[in-house]
Amino acid sequence: MTLPANADEAAAHSRTIRYQRDLARRYVRNEMGCMVDEIAILELAPDRASPEGTAAVTHLVAKAHRESIFLTIDFSQMLGWRPHRFLWANLPHEHMLQLLPEPILIDGVVFDPIRHFRNWVSLDDEHKGDKDSHRARICAALADSPGSSWKEMARQLNAADLTTHGGRSWTADNLRKFMANARLAMAGKVE
């Protein structure tokens, strides 16, 4: 997922980025500080930093005043996640402050980031567990289509509101790959 680097624009697309933006702004306001700049980065892998994330942080540090404090939200302690040391390595540690996640009001509703992430993990696990039944539904829907082209079968699935496991529309290309993997899975060679 690609998000705008502007924190306000990114916050319109991601509840967790909005949460982090609001928590950081609240902290700065309570400390009577001045928020000079903000960036939004969505890093999906805690075991490495993306080149885009690294470049954004490096650019932010390079243009910042030497006395600037760099705020991050540290979810690692509360959720048992690994800290994002690869991204944080680009920040001057003596000027870095890690805020702990805590529930705050967003649009009049309490947003609890810990509960949010735990629910997300649970839903993601359920989604992954549904792979076999999804594969069976797609194969059953195509059982009456022998000899049809990949494009025709993709059109048929889309017309029946059957999406990919990730919720996307079918194309000839992703259906061909899906069916190759489905054949291997049914033969017991992959999950």
Side-chain angles (χ1 to χ4, degrees):
M1 176 178 192
T2 303
L3 290 173
N6 176 281
D8 291 326
E9 292 173 19
H13 297 280
S14 167
R15 180 189 271 181
T16 55
I17 288 180
R18 181 171 181 191
Y19 163 78
Q20 292 175 78
R21 179 202 65 184
D22 291 357
L23 183 66
R25 287 179 179 179
R26 184 182 76 173
Y27 176 83
V28 170
R29 187 174 51 250
N30 289 345
E31 294 296 315
M32 293 184 253
C34 176
M35 181 80 72
V36 176
D37 203 353
E38 300 171 288
I39 58 172
I41 302 169
L42 182 63
E43 291 286 15
L44 300 177
D47 60 339
R48 62 190 170 279
S50 68
E52 298 83 8
T54 300
V57 171
T58 301
H59 179 70
L60 182 70
V61 171
K63 70 180 186 174
H65 185 272
R66 59 185 171 86
E67 296 300 317
S68 294
I69 302 295
F70 298 91
L71 296 177
T72 63
I73 313 300
D74 184 6
F75 292 102
S76 65
Q77 293 178 27
M78 304 299 284
L79 290 164
W81 293 346
R82 291 175 284 177
H84 206 315
R85 60 188 172 94
F86 297 97
L87 190 59
W88 294 348
N90 295 289
L91 294 170
H93 294 281
E94 66 279 5
H95 292 281
M96 188 170 132
L97 178 61
Q98 298 171 348
L99 303 177
L100 294 177
E102 60 185 57
I104 64 170
L105 278 178
I106 298 179
D107 293 334
V109 177
V110 174
F111 178 77
D112 182 343
I114 305 306
R115 182 178 298 140
H116 170 79
F117 281 120
R118 287 190 176 134
N119 288 343
W120 184 87
V121 167
S122 176
L123 289 171
D124 190 50
D125 289 345
E126 286 175 26
H127 177 72
K128 288 175 185 170
D130 184 47
K131 237 179 187 175
D132 289 338
S133 62
H134 174 264
R135 183 183 304 121
R137 283 191 306 273
I138 299 304
C139 291
L142 295 175
D144 296 331
S145 303
S148 296
S149 71
W150 293 114
K151 188 175 182 177
E152 291 167 345
M153 289 187 290
R155 194 175 302 130
Q156 175 187 339
L157 291 171
N158 292 330
D161 287 328
L162 293 171
T163 62
T164 66
H165 195 247
R168 295 200 166 123
S169 296
W170 289 102
T171 65
D173 189 49
N174 66 13
L175 180 57
R176 185 175 25 259
K177 290 175 185 173
F178 170 85
M179 291 305 292
N181 285 332
R183 285 186 200 101
L184 289 172
M186 287 185 245
K189 296 183 180 174
V190 296
E191 277 189 41

